[in-house]
Amino acid sequence: EPEVTQTPSHQVTQMGQEVILRCVPISNHLYFYWYRQILGQKVEFLVSFYNNEISEKSEIFDDQFSVERPDGSNFTLKIRSTKLEDSAMYFCASSVVPGAVDTQYFGPGTRLTVL
Amino acid sequence: AQSVAQPEDQVNVAEGNPLTVKCTYSVSGNPYLFWYVQYPNRGLQFLLKYITGDNLVKGSYGFEAEFNKSQTSFHLKKPSALVSDSALYFCAVRVDSNYQLIWGAGTKLIIKP
């Protein structure tokens, strides 16, 4: 069964450094998402992406964040200058089509630790 | 504001007994409701969803959920719990105009042998 994959599984970085989290969505999916889950807190939406454009983003997704689909398979989340409060589990998801009815399928997550 | 509530941080059930994990929601617009499960060190796995039609939906691993519009609830149920069902369960909702999922805080389900 096709799966969303994410690398690395755990990333440790120093405050102020740039990090890139990578995701490979399911191959026939066209919509891509990033969520994060700070330890002990709710899962929070960051951004959705379609046709090389951001289609929706939350207040969390400020200028420090960017997303890119650099080739036909990868979908990346870049944090330009990490802060301590960026420490969280970051989940990538994909879906076939947009709209509320479609199911989003999630990757295993990348645990980001900012020191 | 749109929100999802899972009133129980933890639910303890003996193996073989029925289980219920509660979820209520507050949205403007038509809700589309989802349950996901998270096993230790794993991602969020889709269990089931309610879009329209029959209020009782069936999903993976023998789970089902009942949509109740008047009570704005979408409780997850299983007739006979297994120890392997022990995990963290998340309820989530979407509305027509949005792509994003809005999540509950999660309920830890512990099934004891």
Side-chain angles (χ1 to χ4, degrees), chain B residues 53-76:
Chain B
D54 194 348
N55 289 343
L56 184 66
V57 293
K58 296 186 184 297
S60 307
Y61 312 120
F63 284 93
E64 58 189 29
E66 186 166 13
F67 172 65
N68 187 317
K69 188 173 183 178
S70 63
Q71 296 185 5
T72 62
S73 67
F74 189 56
H75 301 331
L76 181 71

Side-chain angles (χ1 to χ4, degrees), chain B residues 58-106:
Chain B
K58 296 186 184 297
S60 307
Y61 312 120
F63 284 93
E64 58 189 29
E66 186 166 13
F67 172 65
N68 187 317
K69 188 173 183 178
S70 63
Q71 296 185 5
T72 62
S73 67
F74 189 56
H75 301 331
L76 181 71
K77 300 181 181 184
K78 186 172 182 180
S80 179
L82 300 172
V83 172
S84 57
D85 293 330
S86 298
L88 194 54
Y89 289 81
F90 290 94
C91 180
V93 67
R94 294 174 82 176
V95 293
D96 287 314
S97 57
N98 292 346
Y99 299 108
Q100 63 177 285
L101 284 163
I102 300 162
W103 297 80

Side-chain angles (χ1 to χ4, degrees), chain A residues 61-80:
Chain A
F61 195 87
D62 61 22
D63 292 343
Q64 295 281 54
F65 292 89
S66 62
V67 288
E68 190 179 29
R69 188 156 164 82
D71 53 43
S73 59
N74 289 284
F75 178 52
T76 62
L77 175 69
K78 181 192 290 186
I79 308 175
R80 195 182 343 270

Side-chain angles (χ1 to χ4, degrees), chain A residues 4-24:
Chain A
V4 177
T5 59
Q6 290 184 242
T7 54
S9 56
H10 191 189
Q11 173 89 48
V12 180
T13 190
Q14 296 291 325
M15 190 170 57
Q17 294 296 305
E18 175 184 286
V19 294
I20 298 176
L21 309 183
R22 290 182 167 79
C23 168
V24 178

Side-chain angles (χ1 to χ4, degrees), chain A residues 35 56 99 101-104, chain B residues 32 36 49 94 99-101:
Chain A
Y35 292 80
E56 189 180 7
V101 301
D102 197 38
T103 301
Q104 295 177 18
Chain B
Y32 303 97
Y36 285 82
K49 65 182 178 184
R94 294 174 82 176
Y99 299 108
Q100 63 177 285
L101 284 163

Side-chain angles (χ1 to χ4, degrees), chain A residues 41-111:
Chain A
Q41 297 186 23
K42 287 187 179 185
V43 178
E44 301 171 293
F45 170 76
L46 293 177
V47 66
S48 62
F49 188 86
Y50 169 70
N51 200 26
N52 288 320
E53 287 185 350
I54 290 173
S55 45
E56 189 180 7
K57 63 181 181 178
S58 71
E59 292 177 355
I60 303 168
F61 195 87
D62 61 22
D63 292 343
Q64 295 281 54
F65 292 89
S66 62
V67 288
E68 190 179 29
R69 188 156 164 82
D71 53 43
S73 59
N74 289 284
F75 178 52
T76 62
L77 175 69
K78 181 192 290 186
I79 308 175
R80 195 182 343 270
S81 177
T82 51
K83 303 188 283 282
L84 294 176
E85 54 265 37
D86 293 328
S87 295
M89 181 73 91
Y90 288 80
F91 292 106
C92 173
S94 68
S95 65
V96 178
V97 293
V101 301
D102 197 38
T103 301
Q104 295 177 18
Y105 292 91
F106 286 78
T110 292
R111 182 170 298 282

Side-chain angles (χ1 to χ4, degrees), chain B residues 3-94:
Chain B
S3 65
V4 176
Q6 293 182 242
E8 303 151 318
D9 292 334
Q10 183 169 310
V11 171
N12 298 296
V13 178
E15 187 177 27
N17 283 0
L19 69 87
T20 299
V21 182
K22 295 179 180 177
C23 171
T24 59
Y25 63 91
S26 174
V27 300
S28 53
N30 292 321
Y32 303 97
L33 295 147
F34 299 79
W35 276 101
Y36 285 82
V37 59
Q38 186 178 31
Y39 297 101
N41 301 314
R42 301 284 295 278
L44 296 155
Q45 295 183 33
F46 169 73
L47 272 182
L48 51 78
K49 65 182 178 184
Y50 171 81
I51 302 302
T52 187
D54 194 348
N55 289 343
L56 184 66
V57 293
K58 296 186 184 297
S60 307
Y61 312 120
F63 284 93
E64 58 189 29
E66 186 166 13
F67 172 65
N68 187 317
K69 188 173 183 178
S70 63
Q71 296 185 5
T72 62
S73 67
F74 189 56
H75 301 331
L76 181 71
K77 300 181 181 184
K78 186 172 182 180
S80 179
L82 300 172
V83 172
S84 57
D85 293 330
S86 298
L88 194 54
Y89 289 81
F90 290 94
C91 180
V93 67
R94 294 174 82 176

